Amino acid sequence: MDLTGIDLARIPRHVAAVMDGNGRWATQRGLKRTEGHAAGEHALFDTVDGAIELGLEWFTVYAFSTENWKRPPDEVRYLMGFNKGILERHAEDLNERNVRINFIGRRDWRVPRGVMRRIDWAMDLTQHNTGLTFTIAFNYGGRAEIVDAVKRLIADGVAADKVDEKAIRQRLYCPDLPDPELMVRTSGEFRTSNFLLWELAYSELVFTDVLWPDFRKQHLADAIREYQARERRFGAVSSS
């Protein structure tokens, strides 16, 4: 990677990514949409390599949203098997590299039991690792996460006057998931698409025209360079 202009002492702790453009990448090449997803696997793990090399503590990707169930049934079935296969192909290697695998999302009837078993296996395998935490948002929606947190508040009998940001955060899918300092979205789309709505409140957003299957660790480094060039004020007045 070309790290020119990047301050390695100011690498963001947590970077999130919306991996968009697999279908368009395939269509542009006269291929099936599923072949775009397959090509995106190489992009994903090249980027994970970059996250490890850069020293990120957390890297979170949007793998399958609660809205993706609306896609054609054949594509949904493919994606279920594809995400299960990703774990089978990569979990042991990530474990050897001290990566902790984490999942956020709804565990409901729509997710095949075989997929859930692989998710639990990968999390158990890597739970004691202390390097990068690689979080996969699967059957995930930002609004669904907030709704589920509110349901837990009610189930826990929390009084209205005790409901604050801390109480809600403690009931999100992964309470120890730090807010991303940076979110990257590929393929030229300028929206968050229901991704980490609570956690992205003050994140810097970087959008790139690169389609996800063409995304590499260098693009991650470039996004971090852009992030470091910005001033984060969190609602305060500029220091200058």
Side-chain angles (χ1 to χ4, degrees):
M1 286 185 292
D2 178 8
L3 302 181
T4 303
I6 293 178
D7 182 353
L8 295 177
R10 293 195 301 117
I11 296 295
R13 183 184 182 200
H14 182 188
V15 175
V18 177
M19 306 181 292
D20 195 25
N22 292 335
R24 272 169 284 172
W25 183 92
T27 300
Q28 289 173 5
R29 290 159 176 77
L31 304 171
K32 294 180 181 179
R33 286 178 56 85
T34 52
E35 295 190 51
H37 296 303
E41 180 178 350
H42 179 68
L44 172 59
F45 287 97
D46 188 81
T47 306
V48 169
D49 286 344
I52 295 170
E53 292 171 22
L54 285 161
L56 296 186
E57 295 182 35
W58 296 75
F59 180 55
T60 300
V61 298
Y62 208 3
F64 190 88
S65 77
T66 49
E67 290 72 41
N68 286 157
W69 294 105
K70 301 173 186 176
R71 293 188 176 188
D74 286 349
E75 184 175 356
V76 170
R77 281 193 294 270
Y78 173 86
L79 288 170
M80 290 296 108
F82 178 69
N83 281 282
K84 177 173 176 281
I86 279 180
L87 295 176
E88 293 169 346
R89 290 186 290 274
H90 297 279
E92 292 182 355
D93 175 65
L94 292 175
N95 183 49
E96 291 177 2
R97 301 177 69 186
N98 197 32
V99 173
R100 180 167 69 110
I101 298 173
N102 185 41
F103 278 82
I104 54 174
R106 280 183 167 168
R107 292 171 169 256
D108 62 24
W109 59 270
R110 294 182 295 184
V111 180
R113 281 179 289 181
V115 177
M116 287 308 312
R117 283 195 294 268
R118 270 302 170 192
I119 287 173
D120 290 336
W121 166 76
M123 292 178 65
D124 289 344
L125 176 69
T126 63
Q127 63 180 317
H128 299 299
N129 291 343
T130 57
L132 174 73
T133 296
F134 174 41
T135 302
I136 301 172
F138 183 79
N139 194 25
Y140 174 88
R143 288 182 175 179
E145 180 176 31
I146 295 170
V147 167
D148 290 346
V150 172
K151 288 180 178 178
R152 292 189 184 100
L153 282 168
I154 295 170
D156 292 342
V158 179
D161 62 353
K162 299 297 182 181
V163 176
D164 55 16
E165 290 189 14
K166 180 179 179 181
I168 294 173
R169 177 175 289 278
Q170 288 174 340
R171 291 164 177 83
L172 297 177
Y173 293 142
C174 181
D176 63 337
L177 183 80
D179 292 345
E181 291 93 341
L182 169 64
M183 190 279 284
V184 182
R185 179 170 186 151
T186 59
S187 85
E189 302 290 352
F190 295 88
R191 56 183 178 270
T192 59
S193 294
N194 200 22
F195 183 45
L196 299 177
L197 293 183
W198 180 277
E199 297 87 349
L200 289 181
Y202 283 100
S203 302
E204 295 296 324
L205 310 181
V206 171
F207 300 98
T208 174
D209 290 334
V210 176
L211 299 176
W212 179 256
D214 294 325
F215 197 86
R216 295 294 183 270
K217 64 177 72 174
Q218 184 60 56
H219 296 103
L220 175 63
D222 294 342
I224 290 174
R225 184 183 295 108
E226 181 174 342
Y227 158 82
Q228 290 189 345
R230 300 180 184 180
E231 181 182 11
R232 307 185 74 210
R233 297 191 297 276
F234 301 96
V237 177
S238 172
S239 59
S240 60

